[in-house]
């Protein structure tokens, strides 16, 4: 059975390096905010093509700290796609702002930039585009709208490590951008981890403080901060995996090609990769009118499929009261029709 993730195959590919790093790590005996975090931040910033990267505890925190650093809070509105993973929406709620949903384009699954403008009000403080399943949003258009209304852009890059449009990486378009390194992401840690990227030095400094009790110098606390640090051990292991990210993305793309050929007779709506975009296939998501039957048939062929995501955030128990009476038909339709074929970076490696 081909599973959506297989960490043993991945580990086999990097075992020697991981073991060497673990030995080094225990020999050194330094666990929080040390050389590994600093080195990873530098290397990841350079990979993304930004001036600053700040390692944090996870992707949700990365989003929350990004919004906090921009001063987004109570009374503000933040535009989010109606079909995203719920973390993007939770981040907005946790800073005290109101998520305002905008429907996606049902072919790209990404927020429809043409629908953003009609949802902008005097209270809008930021737009939070999510590069869903590994395809960049239409960032030039989104940045133009943001500039026109003088609002911030916070990219949710949790599913798009290495994705580009016009050669420009996810995490280098918006003002402050968030990554998750949850184990299943294209770049995943061995536990929870995340990062914020930005070109703004003042914002970077603020996030460095926010993640560490509001402090840069020990026992001097400048602002009301959190404990949301990236572990040394995770940073060290992420440095190893970062060197494989491009190859593993190439593998994901090759697998996508394979699926297209193998399932060309299916009446599905397939993922799209518009001109100029580099899709990194965090997920290979198709739309089917007979999802349950298709998923069963695929399972009998040896492909374990999953649904990303069966319930739009606004219909979740967490939000259904807040959005009572509102309907987002495109998000609803996608939630009814989508399923993901299993695909990951070391899928065809020999064990
Ligand atoms: C995974 C994910 C997150 C949250 O990341 P965590 O590290 O699990 O907190 C946020 N947004 C999107 C789109 C995600 O896929």
């Amino acid at each position: 059975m081909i599973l959506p993730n297989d960490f043993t195959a991945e580990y086999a590919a990097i075992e020697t390096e991981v073991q060497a790093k673990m030995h080094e790590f225990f020999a050194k005996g330094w666990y929080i905010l040390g050389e590994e975090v600093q080195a990873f931040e530098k290397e990841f910033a350079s990979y993304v093509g930004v001036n600053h990267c700040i390692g944090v505890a996870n992707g949700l925190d990365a989003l929350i700290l990004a919004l906090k650093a921009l001063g987004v809070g109570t009374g503000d509105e933040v535009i989010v796609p109606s079909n995203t993973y719920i973390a993007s929406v939770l981040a907005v709620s946790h800073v005290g702002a109101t998520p305002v949903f905008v429907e996606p384009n049902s072919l790209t699954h990404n927020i429809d930039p043409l629908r953003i403008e009609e949802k902008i009000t005097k209270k809008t403080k930021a737009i939070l585009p999510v590069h869903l399943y590994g395809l960049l949003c239409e960032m030039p258009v989104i940045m133009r709208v943001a500039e026109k209304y003088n609002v911030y852009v916070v990219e949710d890059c949790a599913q798009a490590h290495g994705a580009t449009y016009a050669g420009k990486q996810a995490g280098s378009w918006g003002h402050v951008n968030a990554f998750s390194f949850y184990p299943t992401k294209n770049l995943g840690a061995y536990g929870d981890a995340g990062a914020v990227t930005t070109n703004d030095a003042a914002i970077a400094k603020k996030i460095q403080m926010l993640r560490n009790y509001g402090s840069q110098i020990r026992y001097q606390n400048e602002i009301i901060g959190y404990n949301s640090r990236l572990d040394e051990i995770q940073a060290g292991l992420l440095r190893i995996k970062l060197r494989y990210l491009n190859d593993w993305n190439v593998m994901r793309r090759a697998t996508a090609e394979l699926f297209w050929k193998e399932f060309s007779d299916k009446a599905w709506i397939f993922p799209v990769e518009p001109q100029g975009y580099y899709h990194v296939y965090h997920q290979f998501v198709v739309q089917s009118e007979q999802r349950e039957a298709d998923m069963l048939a695929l399972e009998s062929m040896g492909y374990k499929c999953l649904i990303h995501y069966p319930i739009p955030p606004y219909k979740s128990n967490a939000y259904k009261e807040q959005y009572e009476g509102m309907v987002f038909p495109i998000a609803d339709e996608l939630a009814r029709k989508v399923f993901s074929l299993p695909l990951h970076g070391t899928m065809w490696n020999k064990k």
Side-chain angles (χ1 to χ4, degrees):
M1 180 74 76
I2 298 180
L3 300 172
N5 287 291
D6 182 351
F7 296 115
T8 54
E10 188 193 89
Y11 180 60
I14 56 175
E15 182 171 0
T16 331
E17 289 166 273
V18 168
Q19 290 299 338
K21 183 62 79 181
M22 293 304 275
H23 282 297
E24 193 187 313
F25 174 72
F26 287 114
K28 218 193 282 174
W30 189 280
Y31 305 114
I32 302 288
L33 296 186
E35 286 166 8
E36 294 290 353
V37 168
Q38 256 180 28
F40 174 72
E41 288 176 341
K42 215 170 146 202
E43 288 160 12
F44 195 65
S46 147
Y47 179 83
V48 171
V50 292
N51 294 336
H52 308 279
C53 166
I54 307 95
V56 298
N58 57 62
L60 176 58
D61 279 7
L63 286 165
I64 292 173
L65 299 192
L67 292 168
K68 274 264 172 195
L70 289 169
V72 179
T74 310
D76 296 331
E77 293 176 355
V78 176
I79 288 177
V80 291
S82 54
N83 62 325
T84 183
Y85 178 60
I86 198 163
S88 331
V89 188
L90 293 176
V92 176
S93 299
H94 281 306
V95 300
T98 305
V100 173
F101 291 112
V102 167
E103 290 264 73
N105 173 313
S106 62
L107 282 181
T108 64
H109 299 268
N110 278 334
I111 192 165
D112 187 342
L114 303 176
R115 291 191 169 100
I116 292 177
E117 236 173 309
E118 64 200 50
K119 293 289 182 81
I120 288 186
T121 71
K122 282 202 176 66
K123 292 180 177 170
T124 310
K125 194 82 180 257
I127 305 169
L128 201 159
V130 183
H131 311 308
L132 210 60
Y133 311 138
L135 177 69
L136 232 77
C137 295
E138 290 176 60
M139 290 314 295
V141 187
I142 293 171
M143 296 312 294
R144 267 202 304 279
V145 174
E147 206 167 304
K148 180 171 167 189
Y149 293 95
N150 197 24
V151 300
Y152 295 116
V153 172
V154 174
E155 291 171 69
D156 182 340
C157 310
Q159 305 189 359
H161 318 70
T164 63
Y165 171 68
K168 195 169 151 60
Q169 293 261 350
S172 70
W173 295 82
H175 299 90
V176 194
N177 311 307
F179 285 86
S180 162
F181 306 119
Y182 182 77
T184 62
K185 311 291 188 186
N186 291 43
L187 177 60
Y190 292 90
D192 278 313
V196 178
T197 57
T198 183
N199 281 317
D200 186 319
I203 294 277
K205 192 168 172 219
K206 185 130 190 226
I207 290 170
Q208 277 165 359
M209 291 204 280
L210 282 172
R211 76 165 169 193
N212 190 31
Y213 299 121
S215 169
Q216 274 202 313
I217 300 166
R218 191 174 294 197
Y219 307 128
Q220 293 186 22
N221 303 84
E222 313 298 333
I223 53 178
I224 299 175
Y226 301 81
N227 175 356
S228 180
R229 299 174 296 223
L230 172 63
D231 283 352
E232 276 290 283
I233 184 77
Q234 298 300 346
L237 298 173
L238 282 166
R239 289 181 68 202
I240 296 171
K241 289 178 73 172
L242 178 57
R243 296 196 283 272
Y244 290 85
L245 175 58
N246 285 346
D247 287 351
W248 288 346
N249 279 342
V250 166
M251 191 79 93
R252 285 173 183 268
R253 291 172 57 82
T255 307
E257 289 286 339
L258 225 113
F259 286 154
W260 258 306
K261 286 203 196 92
E262 184 167 356
F263 300 113
S264 59
D265 59 328
K266 301 279 185 194
W268 298 338
I269 298 173
F270 282 81
V272 292
E273 183 184 57
Q275 188 75 36
Y277 287 79
Y278 189 80
H279 199 318
V280 294
Y281 293 99
H282 174 61
Q283 301 293 351
F284 188 93
V285 174
V286 299
Q287 299 171 48
S288 166
E289 286 295 347
Q290 36 160 7
R291 174 167 70 188
E292 271 61 42
D294 281 341
M295 284 177 73
L296 278 174
L298 279 158
E299 188 148 346
S300 68
M301 291 172 68
Y303 295 105
K304 178 78 193 147
C305 300
L306 297 173
I307 299 172
H308 301 97
Y309 301 95
I311 303 168
Y314 86 98
K315 280 191 166 167
S316 66
N317 286 338
Y319 283 109
K320 69 176 185 222
E321 270 172 47
Q322 190 174 337
Y323 294 94
E324 204 178 342
M326 295 183 96
V327 205
F328 298 93
I330 300 176
D332 287 348
E333 190 190 335
L334 288 172
R336 179 172 63 80
K337 290 176 22 183
V338 294
F339 71 95
S340 316
L341 275 74
L343 149 165
H344 58 86
T346 50
M347 188 149 140
W348 309 110
N349 284 26
K350 294 235 163 41
K351 276 192 220 166

